[in-house]
Amino acid sequence: MIEFLNLKKINNRFQDEITERIEAILNKGWYIQGDENKIFSENFAKYCGVKYACGVANGLDALRLLIEASGFGTGDEIIVPANTFIATILAITYTGCTPVLVEPDINTYNIDPDLIEQAITEKTKAIMVVHLYGQAVQMDKIWSIAKKYNLKVFEDAAQSHGAKYKNKKTGSLSDGAAFSFYPGKNLGCLGDGGAVVSNDKELIDKVKALSNYGSDYKYHHIYKGLNSRLDEIQAAVLDVKLKYLDSDNERRREISKFYRTNITNPKILLPQVYDEQAHIWHVFAVRTQERDRFQKYLTENGIQTIIHYPIPPHKQLAYKEWNNRSYPITEEIHKTIISLPMSPIMTDEDVQTVVRIVNDYR
């Protein structure tokens, strides 16, 4: 079986370094908001090319805190791609804001900039882009629209650690960005984790307070906050793995290039890339009109796959008030998408086997 993602093998490469850092934390006896968090936040901000970062408990909280710290709430609208993981939408509705769904570009799967302007109203406050599957959104048009209408720009960068647009990494392309460090991400911890990054010190200071019970210093609460803190162990794990992120991303690019060069089955539609450095291949998503049959065939031939994602947000029961809406491009993607194995520990033989079996599908 060629696994979709073997987290044990991925993390075993760093076992000695991780163990050393965890033992130091145990010996120190400080588990929350200590030196490891400070070190990782500084290193991750530097990696992204921004001044500040604040670790939080998970990616959903990072999105939610980014919106709340920006001062948005009930009555405010945020433009967001219809084709995204539901966390992007949940973060907007958690804060009382209204998500305004915009269709993606069928070629990149990211929000279609040409459809944004018609969705703007007097209530619109921000555009939330999602660098879906690891490919950076082409931001020039987004910023042109945002400046025209005086809107904030946010990034849901949960899947794009290290992707670049015009030589600037995701996280540095907006007023503020949210990352997830869920174990399966290109930079993943050994549990849940997330971060908000920005060049805006006031924004990050507010995120820090909101994520710590609304407290700016101990037992002094200036906001109605929540408890969403990246613990010391996860911060240490992430700091170890951050050093290897670029090399892991390069291996993913190599695998992607081999897939895109050698998969020739006309029934399989390959992903399109506008710039090799713009994509870090969090997943390698292809499309086919015979998805269920194709997935069954791959499973029978020892290839594990995952569907990202089978049901679009507007068809989820959680948002049943949207269930009668129609977003045909989004629906087409969610009906036909399937992700092939992709990880930095795949061998050349694994990759060649995937290609051979995909090409043999009839």
Side-chain angles (χ1 to χ4, degrees):
M1 168 70 74
I2 296 177
E3 296 174 282
F4 182 79
L5 191 66
N6 187 317
L7 292 175
K8 183 177 179 180
K9 287 184 179 179
I10 286 174
N11 289 311
N12 278 353
R13 298 175 298 160
F14 319 116
Q15 185 169 344
D16 290 345
E17 289 182 79
I18 288 173
T19 300
E20 183 180 342
R21 294 284 283 270
I22 291 176
E23 285 179 352
I25 293 167
L26 292 173
N27 290 332
K28 188 180 293 185
W30 193 295
Y31 308 121
I32 293 175
Q33 293 190 315
D35 290 340
E36 295 292 346
N37 228 302
K38 184 173 183 293
I39 291 167
F40 172 67
S41 293
E42 290 175 354
N43 287 339
F44 190 62
K46 184 178 179 181
Y47 176 83
C48 292
V50 297
K51 294 178 181 177
Y52 311 106
C54 175
V56 298
N58 55 68
L60 174 55
D61 280 359
L63 288 163
R64 177 182 175 182
L65 288 161
L66 173 60
I67 295 166
E68 190 172 351
S70 298
F72 301 142
T74 303
D76 295 331
E77 294 179 353
I78 297 178
I79 290 173
V80 65
N83 175 44
T84 184
F85 181 56
I86 199 168
T88 323
I89 311 295
L90 289 170
I92 296 171
T93 57
Y94 266 144
T95 59
C97 296
T98 301
V100 177
L101 307 187
V102 170
E103 287 268 59
D105 181 325
I106 192 67
N107 296 313
T108 66
Y109 308 136
N110 286 332
I111 193 167
D112 187 340
D114 293 334
L115 300 179
I116 290 176
E117 205 161 356
Q118 66 195 48
I120 293 173
T121 73
E122 69 280 357
K123 296 179 181 179
T124 306
K125 293 295 189 293
I127 302 169
M128 174 78 78
V129 301
V130 181
H131 306 297
L132 197 66
Y133 304 146
Q135 181 161 219
V137 173
Q138 293 169 281
M139 296 297 292
D140 283 355
K141 283 187 178 180
I142 305 294
W143 268 112
S144 177
I145 295 166
K147 288 174 181 176
K148 181 178 178 181
Y149 293 94
N150 194 28
L151 305 176
K152 291 284 189 182
V153 177
F154 300 136
E155 296 168 80
D156 180 343
Q159 300 183 7
S160 66
H161 317 70
K164 292 180 180 180
Y165 176 67
K166 294 189 173 180
N167 212 36
K168 291 180 66 177
K169 287 194 178 83
T170 58
S172 69
L173 305 172
S174 63
D175 293 297
F179 284 87
S180 167
F181 304 125
Y182 180 78
K185 304 299 186 186
N186 290 35
L187 180 63
C189 52
L190 303 185
D192 259 323
V196 180
V197 305
S198 180
N199 285 314
D200 184 341
K201 185 177 186 299
E202 185 178 345
L203 174 70
I204 294 297
D205 285 346
K206 191 168 182 180
V207 169
K208 287 179 180 178
L210 284 167
S211 67
N212 188 33
Y213 299 98
S215 173
D216 55 345
Y217 61 89
K218 198 171 180 67
Y219 299 136
H220 185 259
H221 304 271
I222 55 176
Y223 308 115
K224 297 173 183 175
L226 63 153
N227 176 13
S228 180
R229 302 174 297 199
L230 182 68
D231 70 70
E232 288 288 276
I233 289 176
Q234 302 305 339
V237 169
L238 290 165
D239 197 57
V240 168
K241 295 178 70 175
L242 181 61
K243 295 179 293 184
Y244 304 97
L245 177 57
D246 284 344
S247 60
D248 276 0
N249 284 346
E250 281 306 314
R251 176 56 181 160
R252 288 173 179 267
R253 289 187 179 108
E254 289 173 4
I255 294 168
S256 160
K257 192 168 185 178
F258 192 86
Y259 278 164
R260 287 179 289 132
T261 302
N262 293 283
I263 292 176
T264 57
N265 192 323
K267 291 189 173 185
I268 308 304
L269 189 62
L270 297 172
Q272 296 187 25
V273 186
Y274 67 87
D275 178 354
E276 293 297 328
Q277 291 301 306
H279 213 317
I280 47 88
W281 302 101
H282 173 56
V283 297
F284 189 91
V286 302
R287 287 193 291 126
T288 176
Q289 295 297 324
E290 306 172 1
R291 183 178 65 196
D292 291 348
R293 181 169 171 263
F294 180 58
Q295 186 175 42
K296 183 172 182 289
Y297 162 83
L298 292 178
T299 300
E300 289 171 349
N301 283 276
I303 307 296
Q304 189 179 45
T305 58
I306 294 180
I307 297 171
H308 296 92
Y309 303 96
I311 306 172
H314 71 281
K315 293 296 184 183
Q316 298 284 356
L317 185 59
Y319 292 101
K320 57 181 180 292
E321 66 273 20
W322 298 347
N323 286 175
N324 291 328
R325 293 187 187 181
S326 176
Y327 297 96
I329 297 173
T330 294
E331 290 161 20
E332 174 67 15
I333 292 168
H334 285 251
K335 184 176 69 175
T336 57
I337 207 86
I338 182 170
S339 299
L340 301 180
M342 169 62 74
S343 85
I345 61 164
M346 288 182 73
T347 66
D348 289 347
E349 184 180 358
D350 290 337
V351 180
Q352 291 163 7
T353 299
V354 172
V355 168
R356 175 178 55 79
I357 291 174
V358 168
N359 282 340
D360 286 346
Y361 174 69
R362 296 291 182 268

